[in-house]
Amino acid sequence: MIIPRPVRVEARQGRFVLDRNTALAADPELGEVAAWLRGELSPVTGGALLPGRTGPGTITLALRDGMHPEGYLLTVGADGVRVEAGGAAGAFYAAQTLRQLLPAAAFRRAATGVPLSLPAVRVEDRPRFAWRGCLLDVARHFMTKADVLRFIDLLAMHKLNVLHLHLTDDQGWRIEIKRHPRLTEVGAWRRESQTGWNGAMDGRPHGGYYTHDDIREIVAYAARRYITVVPEIDLPGHTQAAIAAYPELGNVGTRLEVRTTWGIGDNVLNVEDATIAFFKDVFDEVLELFPGPYVCVGGDECRKDQWKTSSAAQARIAALGLRDEDELQSWFIKQFDDYLTARGRRLVGWDEILEGGHVSGAIVASWRGDLAAVIAARAGHEVVTCPNTSVYFDYRQDEGPREPVPFGTVLTLADVYAFEPVPAGLRGDPAEAHVIGSQCAVWTELIDSNRQVDYMTFPRLCAFAETVWSPPERDFAEFRDRLQAHLPRLDAIGVEYRREDGPRPWQTRPGVPGRPEDPDEWRATVAGWTRNLRGRV
């Protein structure tokens, strides 16, 4: 009853008793994995799982040449447990699987000293995709460091390996930048928030941000769980919080406040050299805090009306010989692609970065259907697929009136499980190899607490994890059977997921207006994107 489903599971006869006398042996390179597993099992067994020799009564973690670096072979017999892995990440995922073989009560981490047992089994496993991610939006509604660390553990439990941390937007700037302190002194706080999508204002100040030390702790905590944290500093759109802190970054010359409403804003960065230099200062500090290879610069939903009326923007277009404002955005994004490439990093951008021409080294996060993914992959870009109609967890889970703040189209557990990360237009095409994985997204305009994050994310994230880890052949009925064994694990660790019969009493918020998707409006919007992409690329 393992989630995500392994490549191969072979049940065998017998059980291994896990108690206070069980030892844990590991190759030196796997010491950190052993420490994590010891920390999870010791409170349950009441023993210390002291290092011991390989042999009867021992859990053994070992490296084996020739295996996928994230793959593993887990064998449980009456005399012990043996893990063979291609790398430390593979051993960690084997440890996660081992933990799921225990009763759900073992997840409560209450020291009992009561012997537990594991079923005899042979599990062979490895991931389908290299990029198995989840975006967490902490810009719209701030989440404490402790809540982010808890979310990282939940990703790791489901063998996801990328946390895309959306740190900045119109409604808040969430990362300390010492060279530009007003980004958090002003930009991290808004005076109130809109209730629902079209509702009244709540009158409550909201804010918060992460210090350098907070970020270092988050990144290190994730790394010990083999998760790469990808920071997103959104530009040139979604930047009203930054412009509120430093008005000279904008186009209108008047002071703005941190935005209190949702939707796509008109206020975007100007294209002056000083603004580009400002954000290179920002990224200098971001790169010090995030050692991973990827940095997301957004590039999505940038309204260009202000550039059309800006003499400075029009002068830049003329000087560069650009066709229009879409090409101006690509030029703007390219400044940061060059900057990141020179420092050994990779730029990640939403698929709008294709509209003004290719940004050579960029990884494209394709969220508006499949077309951008197909175009980007065939042009040689690496692609992460994340279509909003399949993997956006702010979308409502049912048509029922009890759903909290209904938003978007209905996206059920079955819908998420049916998601195929490789678009139909790429299957069998050599460019299919450019799809490096997928990620789901927890956007938080309408999610204002950790409890609501739980409700909107789970168990849909369990289904998503299987689409990116497991072999492509899927059976939803069989998955639901395994999920019934998995939900008590989530109960044990306090995850307030959505139950099959709907929201729990505290999760209903009647009278808060959402924004159900208008199918005709959606089709028209997609048609507009399609025309723009086909005309540009």
Side-chain angles (χ1 to χ4, degrees):
M1 296 298 180
I2 301 162
I3 289 179
R5 179 172 59 88
V7 170
R8 190 171 292 106
V9 179
E10 178 189 327
R12 295 180 172 182
Q13 294 295 316
R15 302 188 73 86
F16 172 67
V17 175
L18 181 69
D19 58 25
R20 65 177 63 248
N21 297 314
T22 301
L24 176 58
D27 285 354
E29 299 89 340
L30 302 179
E32 198 165 82
V33 177
W36 179 86
L37 185 57
R38 189 172 287 115
E40 295 300 317
L41 297 184
S42 293
V44 181
T45 64
L49 275 83
L50 295 172
R53 295 181 178 178
T54 59
T58 301
I59 300 171
T60 302
L61 310 180
L63 292 174
R64 192 174 93 182
D65 292 338
M67 295 182 70
H68 188 290
E70 293 184 293
Y72 65 88
L73 177 63
L74 167 64
T75 307
V76 179
D79 58 347
V81 177
R82 182 170 179 82
V83 169
E84 296 175 285
F92 178 74
Y93 298 134
Q96 291 283 3
T97 295
L98 185 153
R99 195 171 169 231
Q100 288 194 25
L101 294 174
L102 290 168
F107 283 71
R108 292 197 180 97
R109 296 171 58 87
T112 63
V114 176
L116 300 167
S117 65
L118 298 166
V121 68
R122 182 183 187 274
V123 181
E124 180 184 341
D125 209 3
R126 59 189 173 276
R128 181 182 175 197
F129 291 102
W131 186 298
R132 307 180 303 279
C134 179
L135 179 144
L136 181 63
D137 174 14
V138 295
R140 272 53 174 267
H141 278 101
F142 179 68
M143 291 179 65
T144 68
K145 177 178 67 177
D147 287 339
V148 174
L149 299 182
R150 173 181 179 270
F151 195 78
I152 288 169
D153 277 327
L154 293 172
L155 299 186
M157 177 182 178
H158 295 87
K159 300 184 175 74
L160 300 185
N161 66 350
V162 174
L163 172 61
H164 181 152
L165 202 57
H166 185 74
L167 289 163
T168 70
D169 216 293
D170 293 324
Q171 296 84 8
W173 184 283
R174 306 294 178 213
I175 179 172
E176 175 187 35
I177 301 297
K178 293 185 176 180
R179 270 176 275 190
H180 300 295
R182 286 177 59 83
L183 287 171
T184 47
E185 290 171 1
V186 174
W189 313 95
R190 62 177 182 264
R191 59 182 172 83
E192 59 184 349
S193 306
Q194 190 174 23
T195 58
W197 195 264
N198 301 307
M201 308 309 293
D202 65 8
R204 296 182 299 164
H206 179 84
Y209 67 92
Y210 307 107
T211 67
H212 279 202
D213 285 344
D214 290 335
I215 293 293
R216 290 188 184 98
E217 183 176 348
I218 289 168
V219 169
Y221 191 89
R224 290 194 295 272
R225 287 146 183 81
Y226 302 91
I227 290 174
T228 298
V229 183
V230 177
E232 180 173 354
I233 307 296
D234 214 336
L235 53 84
H238 288 287
T239 48
Q240 186 165 322
I243 297 168
Y246 292 94
E248 63 271 22
L249 299 174
N251 294 278
V252 296
T254 58
R255 186 168 293 278
L256 303 171
E257 66 173 356
V258 176
R259 194 168 183 217
T260 59
T261 56
W262 315 124
I264 305 172
D266 294 323
N267 292 294
V268 303
L269 298 177
N270 63 47
V271 294
E272 296 174 11
D273 291 339
T275 296
I276 292 170
F278 180 101
F279 276 89
K280 287 181 179 178
D281 284 348
V282 169
F283 283 112
D284 283 346
E285 294 191 29
V286 168
L287 296 188
E288 289 177 8
L289 298 170
F290 294 91
Y294 311 111
V295 177
C296 184
V297 302
D300 59 310
E301 297 180 328
C302 178
R303 286 184 171 163
K304 303 178 177 71
D305 296 339
Q306 291 181 348
W307 286 354
K308 290 176 181 178
T309 59
S310 163
S311 58
Q314 293 304 309
R316 179 75 82 178
I317 289 173
L320 295 171
L322 303 177
R323 183 164 51 170
D324 56 18
E325 291 76 18
D326 287 335
E327 290 193 357
L328 181 61
Q329 174 169 316
S330 284
W331 171 84
F332 191 95
I333 295 293
K334 186 177 186 303
Q335 309 314 300
F336 295 95
D337 184 43
D338 292 344
Y339 164 92
L340 292 170
T341 299
R343 289 156 181 79
R345 307 299 181 91
R346 296 285 305 281
L347 180 144
V348 180
W350 299 102
D351 58 53
E352 286 93 332
I353 67 173
L354 297 173
E355 292 179 358
H358 291 293
V359 180
S360 59
I363 295 173
V364 175
S366 175
W367 71 279
R368 301 179 301 173
D370 288 346
L371 177 63
V374 173
I375 290 173
R378 287 178 177 166
H381 289 279
E382 290 187 331
V383 174
V384 175
T385 54
C386 40
N388 61 331
T389 50
S390 298
V391 293
Y392 270 29
F393 292 167
D394 54 330
Y395 282 18
R396 66 194 190 278
Q397 302 176 70
D398 189 85
E399 291 279 11
R402 295 173 59 218
E403 287 298 305
V405 194
F407 174 70
T409 188
V410 173
L411 183 61
T412 67
L413 179 70
D415 293 332
V416 175
Y417 195 72
F419 167 61
E420 169 50 46
V422 177
L426 286 175
R427 293 170 208 164
D429 188 311
E432 178 180 350
H434 291 304
V435 178
I436 60 174
S438 184
Q439 66 183 31
C440 55
V442 185
W443 298 105
T444 61
E445 289 97 332
L446 308 184
I447 302 175
D448 60 5
S449 71
N450 193 53
R451 300 178 82 184
Q452 291 288 350
V453 168
D454 277 7
Y455 176 82
M456 299 302 288
T457 305
F458 293 96
R460 290 189 291 187
L461 184 134
C462 307
F464 171 77
E466 202 144 297
T467 71
V468 288
W469 176 277
S470 304
E473 301 77 20
R474 292 192 287 277
D475 181 332
F476 182 64
E478 188 271 342
F479 166 75
R480 284 184 65 187
D481 288 342
R482 281 183 288 113
L483 185 63
Q484 296 314 303
H486 189 67
L487 293 179
R489 300 167 190 148
L490 299 183
D491 284 323
I493 56 179
V495 177
E496 298 186 84
Y497 56 87
R498 185 187 191 278
R499 294 176 177 172
E500 228 175 348
D501 59 356
R504 307 168 198 225
W506 67 264
Q507 290 164 330
T508 61
R509 289 194 281 182
V512 178
R515 192 186 70 171
E517 203 70 69
D518 181 317
D520 292 334
E521 178 187 2
W522 173 250
R523 280 191 287 270
T525 301
V526 171
W529 291 338
T530 301
R531 285 192 301 272
N532 201 14
L533 278 172
R534 288 197 188 281
R536 293 284 175 178
V537 184

